[in-house]
């Protein structure tokens, strides 16, 4: 049995066989790496996930965070795990050595993060946000700010947050009221309340560094007038030691459905008129700067869907192989037939297949997105950099929303596979579902992500990013059509991709000349269609690679008949793996891609019932 969290064979398949990340070693930035190095890192990450983080999952959920006498306490078991995690250098693993990192490719770090998140996502939020806050200071901070804060964040000695949300400013960040008043020494007096702040207060580290969005007195309303400030919980003396309390008072923590080990705090800045913040970057550029952290966090949140979906799937398969219940369908009339493991029932097999193809497709989608970051870093020309950056921009809202929507369904399907036990705390799948739900909401709800996709991302660079993606998919279709085993499925992908890109054009037209409310109304539906097409693309691309390898194994082992091939799969793990990857592509094409055109047509029909119905008619 594997680690019950992530299929590490599939991780390696995506990284080395599908994305071929070894090509990165030819570049200056990654020239010192070998495949063996990266496999060793992945192996260490698996150990960290299984031995250190996973044991905190259940206890962290049960104990949760506590707010006592104005202080926040994380689950007790988090302390040792956090120390081990930080000492191993995981926070900065993908950063340059100059800031304490190992400079590993982002694609590999995403694979590491998948393992960690599958082990306990709530725990991972502390180092995750810390990494994001450090990155902001790395890119926009002064040398003094870097020396004061950044290194201690990357090492995990101190922790970080991101402070946007306020009671009246959730999705509409521009409505924020937190203010910044100039002080004679160039610093600012910060006053305001931020709510729902993940890792906002806790006892894991002696100091917490808050990047806070606020408006300097006199600056214009809306997002244009927002600046960003570094606000430490404790002020930092010139020699780096901790100074006095900076008047960041914790009002309380939320009692949540899931991620109970992650403290979600209300923070009152300057309740006593004594909270000092330092400007980060330039005045009124707060939104642009914070977007760096938000985009990183959006990908991290998207990964939450993959992480928990993966763990839920691995558990469901293991359970289905063990749970004995009911007779096999072909023995239903035999009174003497023995009961079988539920994996023998067609409906359970279909559910497992649905989960499997989504988990594998999402893994390819997420790692590809990280690979775009790697490619951006090593691009030799501005055009090449633009191309990869364009993919990253286009894919970010899709990774955030599509992966978390599907991740939730995967967790829910895992509960169905378990039956009644799945709903009970004895097994972890109910926690996966509870921990996963929030991923659709924070970091900009999935509804807001869909608006970002149709309202901004499709039109970016005059549509060049979408065109490049369409070209990539077309190349894949052309290749797959030439593979006898996959031609039929490539044709299904072609019809789905054509329908999706026609709909994109239709959105562009009605956006300019006609009914712009159609793209807005159906943005979520469109994002799902785009995600489905991308998953179909990645699965068929993976199946082409897998098919080549599988045919070579058949040839080598002289397996020619269907019987010989099946027998081989039962004893040869590699043959079984590749065969499973091909099965995923076929199933996804038939089950999901065949419905894409009809869904596109339904959108183009222009029905606007939800807009036409009166508020009063929604319910009696
Ligand atoms: C556990 C947890 C952790 C969090 N961590 C952080 C954190 O670390 N830092 C931080 O700053 N925030 C954090 N948040 C806040 C989170 O990002 C917000 O909850 C989220 O952005 C939605 O804002 P809201 O809750 O005010 O909902 P609202 O903005 O009130 O939205 C309610 C609904 O209306 C929809 N909606 C709103 N406006 C529009 C529109 N213009 N068009 C279409 N639909 C719209 C939304 O999609 C949503 O479905 C966290 C929240 C939770 C619950």
């Amino acid at each position: 049995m594997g680690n019950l969290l992530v299929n590490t064979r599939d991780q390696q398949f995506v990284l080395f066989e599908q994305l071929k990340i070894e090509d990165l070693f030819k570049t200056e930035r990654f020239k010192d790496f070998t495949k063996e190095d990266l496999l060793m890192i992945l192996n260490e990450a698996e150990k960290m996930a299984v031995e250190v983080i996973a044991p905190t999952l259940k206890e962290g959920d049960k104990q949760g965070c506590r707010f006592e006498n104005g202080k926040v306490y994380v689950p007790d078991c988090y302390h040792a795990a956090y120390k081990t995690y930080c000492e191993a250098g995981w926070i900065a693993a993908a950063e340059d050595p100059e800031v304490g990192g190992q400079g590993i490719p982002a694609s590999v770090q995403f694979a590491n993060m998948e393992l960690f998140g599958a082990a306990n996502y709530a725990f991972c939020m502390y180092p995750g946000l810390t990494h994001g806050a450090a990155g902001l200071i790395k890119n926009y901070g002064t040398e003094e700010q870097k020396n004061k804060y950044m290194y201690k964040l990357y090492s995990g000695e101190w922790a970080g947050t991101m402070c946007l949300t306020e009671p009246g400013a959730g999705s509409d960040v521009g409505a924020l009221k937190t203010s910044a008043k100039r002080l004679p020494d160039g610093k600012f007096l910060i006053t305001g309340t931020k709510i729902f702040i993940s890792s906002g207060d806790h006892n894991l580290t002696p100091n917490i560094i808050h990047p806070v969005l606020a408006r300097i007195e006199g600056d214009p309303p809306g997002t244009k007038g927002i600046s960003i400030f570094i606000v430490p919980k404790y002020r930092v003396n010139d020699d780096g030691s901790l100074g006095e309390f900076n008047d960041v008072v914790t009002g309380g923590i939320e009692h949540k459905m899931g991620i109970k080990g992650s403290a979600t705090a209300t923070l009152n800045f300057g309740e006593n008129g004594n909270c000092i913040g330092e400007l980060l970057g330039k005045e009124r550029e707060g939104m642009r700067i914070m977007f760096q952290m938000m985009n990183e966090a959006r990908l991290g949140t998207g990964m939450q869907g993959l992480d928990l979906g993966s763990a839920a799937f691995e558990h469901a398969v293991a359970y289905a192989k063990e749970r004995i219940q009911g007779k096999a369908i072909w023995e239903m009339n035999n009174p003497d037939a023995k009961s079988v493991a539920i994996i023998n029932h067609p409906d359970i097999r279909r559910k497992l297949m649905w989960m499997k193809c989504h988990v594998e497709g999402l893994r390819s989608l997420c790692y590809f997105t990280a690979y775009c970051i790697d490619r951006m870093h090593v691009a030799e020309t501005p055009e090449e950099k633009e191309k990869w950056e364009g993919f990253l921009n286009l894919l970010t809202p899709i990774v955030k929303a599509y992966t978390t929507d599907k991740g939730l369904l995967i967790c829910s399907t895992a509960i169905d596979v378990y039956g009644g036990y799945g709903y009970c705390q004895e097994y972890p799948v109910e926690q996966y579902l509870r921990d996963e739900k929030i991923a659709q909401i924070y970091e900009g709800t999935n509804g807001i992500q869909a608006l970002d996709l149709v309202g901004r991302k499709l039109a970016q660079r005059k549509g060049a990013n979408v065109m490049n993606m369409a070209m990539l998919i077309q190349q894949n279709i052309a290749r797959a059509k030439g593979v006898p085993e996959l031609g039929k499925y490539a044709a299904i992908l072609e019809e789905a991709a054509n329908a999706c890109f026609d709909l994109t054009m239709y959105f562009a037209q009605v956006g300019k000349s006609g009914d712009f409310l159609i793209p807005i109304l159906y943005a979520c539906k469109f994002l799902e269609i785009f995600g489905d097409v991308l998953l179909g693309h990645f699965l068929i691309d993976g199946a082409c690679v897998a098919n080549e390898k599988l045919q070579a194994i058949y040839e080598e082992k002289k397996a020619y008949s269907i019987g010989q091939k099946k027998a081989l799969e039962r004893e040869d793990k590699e043959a079984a793996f590749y065969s499973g990857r091909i099965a995923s592509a076929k199933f996804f094409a038939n089950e999901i891609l065949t419905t894409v055109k009809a869904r596109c047509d339904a959108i183009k029909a222009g029905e606007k019932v939800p807009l036409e119905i009166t508020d009063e008619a929604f319910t009696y």
Side-chain angles (χ1 to χ4, degrees), residues 125 129 162-167 169-172 195-199 256 259 264 438 441-448 451:
M125 290 182 67
L129 283 151
M162 57 190 293
C163 299
L164 292 84
T165 307
E166 298 182 9
S171 302
D172 183 9
I195 59 164
F196 291 151
I197 303 307
S198 298
S199 320
K256 311 189 295 287
I259 56 164
T264 311
I438 184 59
I441 298 167
Y442 57 17
E443 276 328 312
T445 63
N446 286 359
I448 297 293
L451 290 177

Side-chain angles (χ1 to χ4, degrees), residues 256-497:
K256 311 189 295 287
M257 169 184 179
I259 56 164
K260 289 175 188 275
S262 165
T264 311
T266 297
L267 298 178
N268 296 314
F269 293 89
E271 208 171 64
N272 306 299
N274 198 20
C275 176
I276 308 288
E278 294 174 31
L279 183 72
L280 179 64
K282 293 193 181 135
E283 293 182 14
R284 292 176 298 284
E285 293 210 347
M287 276 315 283
R288 189 180 70 78
I289 294 172
M290 188 59 113
F291 251 107
Q292 176 198 314
M293 187 165 178
M294 279 154 72
N295 282 332
E296 178 181 323
R298 281 174 182 179
L299 295 180
T301 305
M303 287 292 289
Q304 187 173 353
L306 169 63
D307 303 349
L308 297 178
S310 166
F313 168 63
E314 294 295 325
H315 276 84
V317 177
Y319 185 82
K321 286 180 180 172
E322 276 172 12
R323 169 75 172 162
I324 308 292
Q325 192 72 198
K327 291 168 183 157
I329 189 79
W330 51 90
E331 298 243 52
M332 62 190 278
N333 294 325
N334 175 4
D336 301 325
K338 286 204 172 119
S339 294
V340 295
I342 58 170
I343 197 166
N344 289 289
H345 300 314
D347 185 54
I348 292 291
R349 295 183 82 79
R350 190 187 50 77
K351 285 188 169 77
L352 292 175
M353 200 62 231
W354 186 93
M355 295 164 82
K356 174 179 160 61
C357 66
H358 277 88
V359 169
E360 290 171 1
L362 293 175
R363 185 170 290 127
S364 295
L365 169 67
C366 291
Y367 291 12
F368 174 81
T369 308
Y371 182 68
C372 293
I373 300 174
D374 290 328
R375 279 283 159 206
M376 261 168 67
H377 283 147
V378 300
E380 284 174 356
T381 61
E383 293 76 31
E384 203 192 334
K385 183 165 183 276
E386 256 180 13
K387 183 182 114 181
W388 292 104
E389 195 170 16
F391 281 152
L392 177 66
N393 288 337
L394 178 68
L395 292 177
T396 296
I398 301 175
V399 167
K400 158 60 172 81
Y402 183 82
T403 306
T404 56
D405 283 348
K406 297 301 166 191
L408 189 80
L409 287 176
I410 297 165
C411 294
S412 174
T413 309
I415 295 179
D416 293 332
V417 169
Y418 272 74
Y421 286 118
Y423 194 66
C424 300
Q425 291 182 358
E426 195 180 338
Y427 292 96
V429 284
E430 63 83 29
Q431 186 186 341
Y432 292 147
L433 182 91
R434 286 187 291 107
D435 283 356
E436 175 56 24
K437 179 63 203 176
I438 184 59
Q440 295 177 307
I441 298 167
Y442 57 17
E443 276 328 312
T445 63
N446 286 359
I448 297 293
Q449 301 302 319
L451 290 177
D452 178 44
L453 178 66
V454 299
R456 288 182 61 228
K457 299 296 166 68
L458 291 182
Q460 257 182 359
R461 295 210 300 133
K462 298 201 169 94
N465 301 336
V466 183
M467 303 279 273
N468 283 341
M469 186 53 76
M471 254 152 58
L472 200 70
I473 295 173
Q474 287 307 332
Q475 283 163 10
N476 176 32
I477 291 168
R479 178 177 62 150
K481 275 187 164 174
V483 179
E485 287 78 2
L486 296 171
K488 175 177 144 192
Y489 304 96
I492 296 175
L493 173 61
E494 187 171 37
E495 187 195 53

